[in-house]
Amino acid sequence: MKCITSVSYSILVNGVEQEVFLPSKGLQQGNPLSPILYVMCSEGLSSLIDDKVIRSLIQGANASPSRICVSHLLFADDSLAFFRASRSDCSEFLDMLNIYQLAAGQEVNFSKSSVYFSQNVSDSMKLDLQQMLGIDKCLTNSNYLGMHILLGRNKKFPSSICVIGLG
């Protein structure tokens, strides 16, 4: 944090150095520390999600008949979270996001986020969870980053899954 908070700036106006000032917006785009800090924050988010899954507070999506569970995927600056389409999982997810946001000093932009529900989630449950999450955009197609999300096609898998793409 010392590397981030100890920086100061001074500008030249007509060749004359002006008063030194401190940045107030935190880490800026283009700072060489940005990618490293983003990876560190992503690791923190991943650990928080893993903890919720280990304690059975959130259940991810089964990705294969052998019950390999996927709770989240992180790629560059995109994050996908998979959990049961239930009020309890949604509440735990929001609780985890609040912890992450406070610790990382970052905020999820829910206006840039979207949610996708498997076929077996009722319309009333979709609306309820969307309101609870504060996400307006509900995807009806199942593509993310050019890949097809296959949910609800195999009846051996859980029938009510919610996928959130965080902005």
Side-chain angles (χ1 to χ4, degrees):
M1 286 306 292
K2 189 74 171 165
C3 293
I4 299 166
T5 59
S6 63
V7 71
S8 62
Y9 296 99
S10 178
I11 59 172
L12 297 176
V13 177
N14 297 326
V16 178
E17 187 175 327
Q18 301 299 304
E19 186 177 336
V20 173
F21 63 94
L22 301 174
S24 60
K25 296 289 185 182
L27 197 62
Q28 299 297 306
Q29 185 175 359
N31 186 310
L33 290 175
S34 293
I36 295 164
L37 293 173
Y38 178 77
V39 169
M40 289 171 62
C41 288
S42 294
E43 283 295 320
L45 176 62
S46 184
S47 294
L48 286 169
I49 295 171
D50 286 342
D51 179 62
K52 293 278 187 181
V53 171
I54 289 168
R55 295 188 301 144
S56 299
L57 298 172
I58 289 177
Q59 179 182 321
N62 289 319
S64 72
S66 62
R67 299 290 192 213
I68 295 171
C69 182
V70 177
S71 58
H72 61 289
L73 298 171
L74 306 174
F75 177 75
D77 61 351
D78 286 305
S79 304
L80 283 177
F82 301 82
F83 57 89
R84 284 180 301 213
S86 69
R87 290 187 61 77
S88 62
D89 274 34
C90 186
S91 178
E92 290 293 337
F93 179 76
L94 289 172
D95 177 58
M96 180 272 315
L97 274 184
N98 284 332
I99 292 168
Y100 170 76
Q101 291 176 138
L102 287 172
Q106 295 180 318
E107 289 189 22
V108 173
N109 186 344
F110 286 107
S111 67
K112 291 184 178 179
S113 300
S114 57
V115 63
Y116 172 79
F117 296 98
S118 61
Q119 296 172 342
N120 297 5
V121 179
S122 70
D123 288 340
S124 61
M125 179 60 82
K126 288 177 187 177
L127 184 60
D128 186 35
L129 295 180
Q130 276 184 264
Q131 289 174 345
M132 195 172 173
L133 290 164
I135 297 176
D136 293 329
K137 191 189 315 180
C138 184
L139 299 177
T140 52
N141 62 10
S142 54
N143 284 321
Y144 185 77
L145 294 176
M147 296 174 58
H148 194 66
I149 300 172
L150 297 174
L151 293 174
R153 294 182 184 265
N154 186 333
K155 298 302 178 196
K156 294 179 185 174
F157 298 151
S159 59
S160 58
I161 296 294
C162 176
V163 181
I164 298 178
L166 298 174

